[in-house]
Amino acid sequence: MVRSGTTTKSKVVALAASVALAAGSIVATASTATAAPGDRATFATGAQARGIAEDASGTLWVTNVGANSISKVALDGTTITYASAISSPFGIAAGSGGGMWFTSDTNQVGRISPEGAIQAYDVGNASAGIALGPDGNMWFTMPNATPARVGKVTPTGAVTTYETGGVSFNFITPGPEGSNRMYLASSSSGDLGIVQMNGSYSAITGPQGSTSSNHIQLINDQIWFIPVLANGTARLTRLINDSGFVQVANAAMPSPFYIGEGLDGTMWVGDFNQTISHVTTGGAVVATYATGGLVRQALQAADGNVWATVGDGVTRILTGVVPTSSAAPTLEPTTGLTAGATAAASNGSWSYAPTSYAYQWQVCATSEATSCTDVPGATGQSYTVATTDVGKYIRVGVTASNLNGASQPAYSALVATGAAPAPAPAPAPTPAPATGAFASIGNGVTMELDAPLRQKRKQRKTYDVVFTADDVQGT
């Protein structure tokens, strides 16, 4: 296992305007008050880190082409690296049946389990790009095959390849939802390609003058790619209805070459000038950060930060994304909170990988949240109801923090407090059974049984009952 956390201050360019950052640095596994968007931390994985992808749990996987290995990287930077019997692992993507699939410059593609076990599947030639298709299979490009081909491998390892009209493709991405197709781009042709799920191929003529493409990616249900002209000029471009194009020209991206997925339908575009730009699907550049080296691939991970393969490892770039609440905290218990009782708070659910939580308890004069005020010093995860709280309401605010800073507080529902119930009255004593001629029957009344001392056998027995109170019913 490898742990590393080299941190670097960076500059931020917002809409092509350079802005100096405040001083400060970050620690690889903890939030720091002086952390700022653009701050970087690097984590070694292996020689020539290349592909990067996220699994269903939010863990990152990185291929190390020069080290013949694959690294599993947690969002705190903890890294576990597995040797690969398949040499030069290249592209990597999450599969539908669990595990990560990767390509290589051999005639095999591989699947690596969460525990690092690798299975190899013969595909007949070297492979490059790889992506999960809408059919649940992994589709990959084979740019060196003769004739040119793409392939698919099922979750059980069955491989099928399809010709692509003589055009060698390097990059692949699924099409928009419902299209049931894969889109292809080539580093040796300006045209794009489409492969249906049955393997049928069709070509899309690229933008006028384009001779190749640097990348292609599905972003927010739209196909984006980077065509390159003969003079080397590259432009971030959106495909319209499989025939038209909208290009984005921005000084912050003079030579784009890679498109990574971002949050909320945005993208992160790597540039040969060793920067990465946050771009909306409208083409607006939100911010540009220095990367400290050439970015090979990148994505915005579950912690809200950008992770990119640079050099011999991954670089994490802070984006300023703080946690957001997806489910409010709760209190337990929600009834019977009397003076001296203790209420405990849950953290609720949060996005963007919180690393710590803070609590503030409030007392509310009414059932309206506007009547709530902080209880001084009540900052633990539990709270003991005070006598002065009785007849009011309590709630808790939870604030989550990650490397980018603290969230807005998320509040629990208000819970009523009340006085302890009065003790139950003591039960009336049960009279002892009478054993003599006299018995008490309650309310100060006594009863005397006057029976004859002797009585002849087989004769009716008669008794007199004498009460000490007047007007006793039945006498």
Side-chain angles (χ1 to χ4, degrees), residues 115-469:
E115 298 75 30
I118 293 177
Q119 292 177 287
Y121 303 92
D122 184 31
V123 298
N125 219 298
S127 50
I130 188 168
L132 176 64
D135 58 354
N137 299 318
M138 301 305 297
W139 289 76
F140 53 92
T141 59
M142 305 170 69
N144 298 327
T146 304
R149 293 176 173 273
V150 296
K152 71 177 180 183
V153 56
T154 69
T156 58
V159 175
T160 309
T161 63
Y162 306 97
E163 295 187 20
T164 54
V167 181
S168 296
F169 290 102
N170 305 78
F171 314 106
I172 188 167
T173 189
E177 185 176 0
S179 68
N180 289 321
R181 58 180 64 176
M182 306 297 289
Y183 284 75
L184 310 168
S186 171
S187 60
S188 59
S189 169
D191 292 342
L192 303 179
I194 293 175
V195 175
Q196 307 288 343
M197 295 300 93
N198 63 2
S200 62
Y201 167 79
S202 58
I204 298 175
T205 301
Q208 185 176 3
S210 63
T211 59
S212 64
S213 292
N214 285 338
H215 197 229
I216 192 168
Q217 184 70 268
L218 179 69
I219 300 291
N220 198 30
D221 221 33
Q222 303 168 352
I223 298 297
W224 288 81
F225 68 111
I226 304 173
V228 182
L229 302 181
N231 65 2
T233 300
R235 290 286 183 266
L236 178 65
T237 302
R238 180 161 67 97
L239 177 63
I240 307 295
N241 297 326
D242 290 348
S243 59
F245 309 98
V246 173
Q247 294 193 321
V248 176
N250 191 290
M253 302 184 298
S255 49
F257 72 92
Y258 182 80
I259 306 168
E261 292 186 75
L263 302 175
D264 302 322
T266 62
M267 69 191 100
W268 290 85
V269 180
D271 198 278
F272 278 112
N273 67 357
Q274 298 186 13
T275 64
I276 192 164
S277 295
H278 192 195
V279 184
T280 70
T281 49
V285 177
V286 179
T288 297
Y289 303 127
T291 57
L294 180 64
V295 172
R296 296 188 179 102
Q297 292 189 14
L299 55 79
Q300 192 166 15
D303 62 354
N305 298 313
V306 173
W307 292 73
T309 49
V310 178
D312 296 335
V314 287
T315 294
R316 182 187 61 211
I317 305 170
L318 298 188
T319 61
V321 175
V322 299
T324 58
S325 173
S326 54
T330 58
L331 299 188
E332 186 67 33
T334 56
T335 59
L337 284 175
T338 59
T342 298
S346 73
N347 291 328
S349 298
W350 297 81
S351 301
Y352 310 132
T355 55
S356 63
Y357 299 92
Y359 311 91
Q360 178 60 64
W361 290 84
Q362 295 185 325
V363 171
C364 313
T366 71
S367 59
E368 297 294 328
T370 54
S371 71
C372 299
T373 58
D374 290 351
V375 179
T379 56
Q381 196 167 358
S382 62
Y383 176 71
T384 301
V385 177
T387 303
T388 54
D389 300 335
V390 172
K392 301 177 183 178
Y393 298 81
I394 62 171
R395 71 172 184 173
V396 69
V398 178
T399 300
S401 295
N402 63 12
L403 289 172
N404 291 297
S407 70
Q408 293 295 314
Y411 290 99
S412 69
L414 279 69
V415 175
T417 62
T430 302
T435 56
F438 295 91
S440 174
I441 60 174
N443 296 326
V445 179
T446 58
M447 178 180 70
E448 179 187 3
L449 179 63
D450 186 8
L453 296 178
R454 289 185 177 84
Q455 184 77 29
K456 292 183 179 180
R457 297 180 64 185
K458 296 184 179 181
Q459 289 187 355
R460 171 181 283 184
K461 297 179 178 62
T462 58
Y463 303 89
D464 292 329
V465 178
V466 180
F467 293 89
T468 60

Side-chain angles (χ1 to χ4, degrees), residues 39-67:
D39 285 356
R40 303 191 305 269
T42 60
F43 306 92
T45 58
Q48 299 177 43
R50 178 75 191 192
I52 185 170
E54 191 175 34
D55 67 17
S57 71
T59 299
L60 304 176
W61 292 80
V62 175
T63 57
N64 306 303
V65 178

